[in-house]
Amino acid sequence: MTTRREPPISDEAIQFWDATREQRFVLPWCTHCDTAIWYPRSTCPRCFGDDVEWRADAGAGAVYAASVHTRPGTGRIEEDGPYVVALVDLDAGVRMMSNVTGCPPGDVQVGMRVALAWEPLSDGRHLPVFRPA
Amino acid sequence: MGTGSMRGAAAIVGVADAASPTGELDTRGRVLEAAMIREALDDAGLTLADVDGVCCSGMATGIAEYLGIHPRFVDGTFVGGSSFEVHVEHASAAIASGLCDVVVGVYAATPRQDRRRGPTPSSYGPMGPDVGAEWEAPYGPRMPMTSYALAASRHMAQYGTTPEQLAQIAVDARRWAARNPRARHRDAITVDDVLASTMTVSPLHQLDCCLVTDGAGAYVLTSADRARDLARPPVYVLGAATGIDHWVISQMPDLTVTPGAISGPAAFGHAGIAAHDVDVLMGYDSFTITALLHLEDLGFCAKGEGGAFVEDGKLGPGGALPMNTNGGGLSYTHPGQYGMFLLVEATRQLRGECGDRQVAGAEVAVAHGCGGVLSATGTVVLGNEATR
């Protein structure tokens, strides 16, 4: 387990964070245009729809961009060692920032397939991260 | 700018900026802002009593109260470092439509001084859900650097752009800085120097990243009619436009395309110019990748071809496209919201005041600001009497 700046819980993401307590990964979908939304919000940024439902997701995707951090950023400490901050494009059609763990940082390449993994947070929630698929 | 009716209606008639080779100024806050306004008004041959409009990147009411003026026009648009270009767009429209007559825009930030003396109070903060805190900060990014590193990562993977090509942008900025006595760094560097500098957030090296310095500036804008009788040759706003894309980097739809692809062509269209008409490009260079993306988005080269475009050194002194002739954010100064310095240098180039770094016969200059994390752009096309 590494050090983290732990995320606040916005009103529109309560269901997302609650699901992570059981290591369930859910995404908000707009029922009007049938599109996944990220980050969670109650109005669809694509069609202005206001009916959002939560659907389970496999958390499979590919690295869109990646950066190896050899000096610790927000919330991290030197002892954590180098780590990768990446943008991951989920197959569901949304992009999220995350870390790619479980391999040497230098091995993470743009386009590489990744799968969901979890890191525990101090309050029982889990943080979604990714590892090579 | 809408249909072009604003073209040439307003002009920058006074400018000022402050920076020091030590990287630190000896005043800050409202005191420094007021000094910049005074200098810019002196430069224009105007007084504070003439001013009826104020622009700053935040609460414009605060500076107006401090100055004891009651402006008819304020713009506190805050979109990061491009705020000042956006202010010029808005203020030009306001002047063209008769909302106001003389607008002063101001900026001061002193991160080095603040580090030593303690911070000044800040009056603004993020509004609404804190997207960065909830969906990015847990992953340990080093903002804003991480955002630009991810953009560089993507551009390299998608288009084969190399670290050497990005480094050339820093090398050319330094070649210009060598001709600017007030630049923070003036010693020549090579591509190898850039590649040998520390890399803590790949693929960006330290010399791919802008400075952190104190700095300040101001401009004065008035009607073209009024500009004719003032102290300096008018520099006309020929076109201006804004592009807004996202707030946090993980919400940017395509990390290889900035909103400059919107504001650039719009501003050029208003001005009736094409990329080949630009004599001086002042393109916001928070990082080398930032500048490279501007070159593509403004149409100086095709998307994806920025790396090949810059590698012959054409951005430097004597090159085909003089860019950031003051040394840029990479080597001159960068207090955080650098866009002010783009306008000041572009104006001085068009007035022929730049001495060793003057671009001969400069008639069209572009100040292209980019704020947030590639989030918001403001493009301003400026011209002198020859191109009005």
Side-chain angles (χ1 to χ4, degrees), chain A residues 4-5 7-8 10 13 17 38-41 64-71 73-74 83 85 95 97-99 110 127-128, chain B residues 131 133-143 146 149-150 153-154 157 199-202 249-255:
Chain A
R4 298 278 181 193
R5 169 85 56 89
S10 60
W17 290 116
W38 192 258
Y39 55 92
R41 64 200 99 167
Y64 176 78
S67 173
V68 179
H69 288 39
T70 46
R71 190 175 296 163
T74 306
Y83 58 95
V85 178
R95 178 179 303 154
M97 184 173 283
S98 192
N99 299 129
V110 171
L127 185 71
Chain B
V131 177
E134 189 168 12
W135 306 113
E136 293 191 348
Y139 299 106
R142 291 186 64 199
M143 290 304 183
T146 298
L150 290 168
S153 156
R154 184 66 198 180
M199 183 163 69
T200 58
V201 176
S202 75
I249 197 69
S250 54
Q251 292 288 306
M252 186 174 183
D254 181 342
L255 266 70

Side-chain angles (χ1 to χ4, degrees), chain B residues 241-333:
Chain B
T242 302
I244 307 289
D245 196 58
H246 57 275
W247 180 18
V248 298
I249 197 69
S250 54
Q251 292 288 306
M252 186 174 183
D254 181 342
L255 266 70
T256 69
V257 182
T258 77
I262 303 295
S263 68
F268 284 19
H270 300 150
I273 65 153
H276 62 77
D277 295 317
V278 176
D279 299 312
V280 178
L281 173 62
M282 296 302 297
Y284 203 102
D285 58 343
S286 48
F287 298 85
T288 51
I289 182 66
T290 321
L292 181 132
L293 292 171
H294 298 333
L295 292 168
E296 296 176 349
D297 291 337
L298 295 177
F300 290 98
C301 61
K303 179 52 64 185
E305 294 176 6
F309 182 76
V310 304
E311 67 188 351
D312 68 355
K314 69 165 59 65
L315 306 178
L321 179 61
M323 184 176 83
N324 297 336
T325 54
N326 56 359
L330 292 168
S331 284
Y332 170 45
T333 189

Side-chain angles (χ1 to χ4, degrees), chain A residues 105-117:
Chain A
D107 289 358
V108 177
Q109 300 295 325
V110 171
M112 124 186 204
R113 295 290 302 173
V114 291
L116 183 70

